[in-house]
Every structure is written in structure tokens, then in C-alpha cells.
Amino acid sequence: DTTPTFVSFNTMNYAYTTDSTITSIINSYATDTSTLGATKLINSVSGTFGNKAQLPNLMNEALYKEAVNEGYTVDYAYCNDARYSINATSWDYSKLYQSFPFDNTVYIVKVKGTQAYKELSSYNYIYRGDTSKAKAAWNNNTTYTIAVLDYLAFHTNSSRNYDYFPNVEVVGYLKKDNETYIYRDVLADYLKTCSSLDVDDYTSTTSNYTKYRFDRSNLTTAYTTIPSA
């Protein structure tokens, strides 16, 4: 007989006992998560870091400096919006997680100027580096090296073709202890090295320095030297 039998759970009483092993595992993860979330990253922050302004600018600075620290020669760092702004004088890891909840890998890639200009000049966020290519006015015939999130580097259209950087060439990716160094953790570690943060230092209109570093509409301006911070 293959006729299924259906049981109404509403008319039956079930007794159950708690599995102590499973409970212990769950509690250990909860403790680890709470401890990580409460980890202080920086205790002196001035101003609100907007999710569509200062936060991605700060992220790009951290990505750029880590790429250089790992031995890469990088012209630009490039990322998209944060999910939430942070308005607090002290940041812990939980605030960073709210703003950057995804575990993106940071790739170092080479891209053609003709393909990269739209992405770097029209939307999302940049950090303009110290190289001679970065200081020069943007040139569509130049190949640039950028630090960029995997989602952006390998973005595809509905036909599964790369549509942001069609001819992307992978150079490498950021690592820590020979493991993938996700972008949120790059920023978390960078913040631990900072004594303080001021929102003006990450606002593209504050000074000639921030305009150079963060203003994507400024890519066609050439610089002999980088303005002082």
C-alpha cells in the first residue's frame, strides 16, 4: 500500500528533551559572535560616516594601503556603497558588520582605461593612489591596476559575460596568514592602527587632498605632486 498517511500534529502531544551537545555548540557560537561583535576598533571618531560617501572612501583607503603593504603596485582602489552609515564616536566590529555584511574577496586586477573609466568615474567610490599613472590625467589607452571587490571585478550581465571589466586580468588577491583577507576585516585591522577618524578627512570636497584621493569626477585632472593632507 503506497497511500501516504498524514498525521495532524495539532492533535498530538510531543515530549522532547534538550540535546546538551547541540545546545553547547549553539552557545559557543553565540559567545564567539558576541565577543567578536564587541571588539573595539577605534574610540575617537568625529562626525557621521555616510554609507554613500565617507565609509566607502575609508574602505578604499584601507584596501589600497593593504594592497601596497602586500607588495602590489596599485593605481586605484574601488568599491561600492556601504549598507548603513555609522554615527558613533566609538566603533566596534558589530557596527562595521552592519555596514559591510558580505565576505567579499579583494582582487588586484589589470583593466583597460576604456573599460574602467565608466565604472570609476560615474558611480561607486575610488581611492586615487600614488603612482605616476594615478597622478596623470586619466588615459583610456592606459592599463590600470586596481584593488577591487570580487563582485565588481567579475560582474556579469544576464548572458553571463563580464560587463564591468570585459577583459579583466587577475594579478592576485589580498591575503592574511595565507588565507583570503575579506574586505571588512581589512578595514577592521586598519582601524586598529588609527588613533582617530575625522569625517572631513574622507569627504571629497573638504580639501585639495581629499579631492585628489576620493573625487571620481576629478580623474581627468593631472597632478605633478599629490596635495598635502
Side-chain angles (χ1 to χ4, degrees), residues 206-219:
T206 298
S207 67
N208 288 332
Y209 175 81
T210 61
K211 184 176 180 66
Y212 173 84
R213 291 298 191 194
F214 306 119
D215 187 356
R216 57 182 179 259
S217 69
N218 193 43
L219 294 180

Side-chain angles (χ1 to χ4, degrees), residues 9 12 20 30 72 96 108 135 142 155 159 179 181 189 194:
F9 289 92
M12 302 180 68
S20 59
Y72 294 106
L96 210 61
I108 311 301
K135 287 187 285 188
T142 296
H155 192 277
S159 299
E179 299 287 341
Y181 201 4
D189 287 341
C194 300

Side-chain angles (χ1 to χ4, degrees), residues 63-118:
L63 300 184
Y64 177 86
K65 291 188 175 183
E66 176 58 26
V68 171
N69 185 56
E70 293 190 24
Y72 294 106
T73 299
V74 178
D75 303 307
Y76 292 90
Y78 167 69
C79 74
N80 55 353
D81 296 348
R83 287 297 179 268
Y84 293 97
S85 301
I86 301 180
N87 180 15
T89 57
S90 177
W91 296 5
D92 58 24
Y93 193 87
S94 68
K95 289 183 173 60
L96 210 61
Y97 191 93
Q98 279 188 314
S99 296
F100 301 104
F102 304 111
D103 292 346
N104 292 96
T105 300
V106 184
Y107 277 88
I108 311 301
V109 301
K110 291 185 177 181
V111 293
K112 293 183 177 180
T114 49
Q115 296 174 358
Y117 186 72
K118 177 182 178 182

Side-chain angles (χ1 to χ4, degrees), residues 154-166:
F154 310 118
H155 192 277
T156 59
N157 57 24
S158 58
S159 299
R160 309 305 296 169
N161 297 316
Y162 294 143
D163 58 348
Y164 283 7
F165 307 115

Side-chain angles (χ1 to χ4, degrees), residues 11-27:
T11 61
M12 302 180 68
N13 294 320
Y14 283 90
Y16 66 92
T17 58
T18 301
D19 188 309
S20 59
T21 301
I22 294 176
T23 300
S24 177
I25 293 172
I26 293 172
N27 289 341

Side-chain angles (χ1 to χ4, degrees), residues 96-152:
L96 210 61
Y97 191 93
Q98 279 188 314
S99 296
F100 301 104
F102 304 111
D103 292 346
N104 292 96
T105 300
V106 184
Y107 277 88
I108 311 301
V109 301
K110 291 185 177 181
V111 293
K112 293 183 177 180
T114 49
Q115 296 174 358
Y117 186 72
K118 177 182 178 182
E119 300 306 320
L120 272 70
S121 67
S122 301
Y123 52 94
N124 291 323
Y125 306 89
I126 65 163
Y127 181 90
R128 190 171 179 173
D130 299 346
T131 65
S132 57
K133 287 183 183 180
K135 287 187 285 188
W138 186 273
N139 186 335
N140 281 338
N141 295 317
T142 296
T143 296
Y144 293 95
T145 303
I146 64 174
V148 59
L149 306 187
D150 48 8
Y151 162 76
L152 299 170

Side-chain angles (χ1 to χ4, degrees), residues 179-212:
E179 299 287 341
T180 300
Y181 201 4
I182 62 172
Y183 82 134
R184 180 178 61 253
D185 288 347
V186 172
L187 179 53
D189 287 341
Y190 180 65
L191 289 174
K192 294 174 186 177
T193 70
C194 300
S195 58
S196 62
L197 290 178
D198 190 312
V199 69
D200 287 342
D201 294 336
Y202 296 91
T203 303
S204 63
T205 56
T206 298
S207 67
N208 288 332
Y209 175 81
T210 61
K211 184 176 180 66
Y212 173 84

